[in-house]
Amino acid sequence: GAVVSQHPSWVICKSGTSVKIECRSLDFQATTMFWYRQFPKQSLMLMATSNEGSKATYEQGVEKDKFLINHASLTLSTLTVTSAHPEDSSFYICSARAGDTGELFFGEGSRLTVL
Amino acid sequence: SQQGEEDPQALSIQEGENATMNCSYKTSINNLQWYRQNSGRGLVHLILIRSNEREKHSGRLRVTLDTSKKSSSLLITASRAADTASYFCATGTSYGKLTFGQGTILTVHP
């Protein structure tokens, strides 16, 4: 089946640094990718919708200057958490929508811990 | 914003019993999906039911959808310890945007 790969699967960084998380569709082209954030014991909250070649659409309350999203190709979207702080520690999950079938596939998630 | 409300928030049962989880939502939907998440892992898609469908089966899973009540239920029959996980409903748009419910934590005791 289709696979979406997220990298890194976990990362620990110091407060103030920036962290980039990649989301790749391995065997299909993803016209749209979605980024979600999940705090411990909570549900997934959509952060932004990323369309290839255009600017991401951010959900209300999500700072676009802090969470930079780039969808430069049909198989790769990146989320960069800039100047990370401990409150940004969370589980970040992407999903990719196959352009031909419209099916959605989720990555395994990336756990960010900011010290 | 979270559209779906799920109940119960936590469910603890013995192996072999059935588990029923409910989900309610607020706005019109294109489809409703159920996902499973093991602790600290990504999501596994279980089943999708479209707005014009009322019931769907997949193995030990049975999903119902009542658009008049804006609610859905997931039934897992003959549960196993390996079914222990969090289960989320999510309402979807035609272009793939999902809004997740709060989730139900299911614990199946051997």
Side-chain angles (χ1 to χ4, degrees), chain B residues 32-51:
Chain B
L32 188 142
Q33 304 179 40
W34 285 89
Y35 288 85
R36 166 200 169 117
Q37 184 182 37
N38 286 4
S39 181
R41 303 295 301 274
L43 295 179
V44 174
H45 182 259
L46 295 177
I47 200 164
L48 179 151
I49 186 165
R50 302 191 188 283
S51 58

Side-chain angles (χ1 to χ4, degrees), chain B residues 28-77:
Chain B
S28 297
I29 61 171
N30 178 275
N31 61 71
L32 188 142
Q33 304 179 40
W34 285 89
Y35 288 85
R36 166 200 169 117
Q37 184 182 37
N38 286 4
S39 181
R41 303 295 301 274
L43 295 179
V44 174
H45 182 259
L46 295 177
I47 200 164
L48 179 151
I49 186 165
R50 302 191 188 283
S51 58
N52 61 352
E53 297 177 306
R54 292 295 168 260
E55 189 171 309
K56 208 162 183 181
H57 297 255
S58 177
R60 292 185 295 115
L61 306 179
R62 173 178 168 252
V63 167
T64 62
L65 178 64
D66 187 334
T67 52
S68 66
K69 295 181 180 178
K70 292 186 167 57
S71 67
S72 174
S73 68
L74 170 67
L75 168 67
I76 304 175
T77 59

Side-chain angles (χ1 to χ4, degrees), chain B residues 4-26:
Chain B
E5 296 292 330
E6 292 185 57
D7 75 271
Q9 291 186 345
L11 180 60
S12 182
I13 59 175
Q14 294 296 128
E15 232 177 4
E17 294 180 340
N18 295 341
T20 299
M21 291 161 264
N22 302 295
C23 167
S24 62
Y25 57 92
K26 296 176 184 174

Side-chain angles (χ1 to χ4, degrees), chain A residues 4-8 19-26 28-36 48-58 67-80 92-97 107 110:
Chain A
V4 173
S5 172
Q6 271 188 251
H7 177 81
V19 174
K20 181 185 284 188
I21 300 170
E22 293 185 349
C23 178
R24 289 183 187 272
S25 56
L26 296 186
F28 66 97
Q29 292 186 333
T31 51
T32 305
M33 289 184 173
F34 302 90
W35 286 95
Y36 295 85
T49 302
S50 168
N51 292 297
E52 186 267 337
S54 64
K55 291 183 178 180
T57 303
Y58 290 81
F67 298 100
L68 301 179
I69 291 173
N70 186 288
H71 193 158
S73 77
L74 285 171
T75 60
L76 174 65
S77 176
T78 60
L79 168 68
T80 301
Y92 292 87
I93 303 176
C94 72
S95 69
R97 183 174 186 267
S110 300

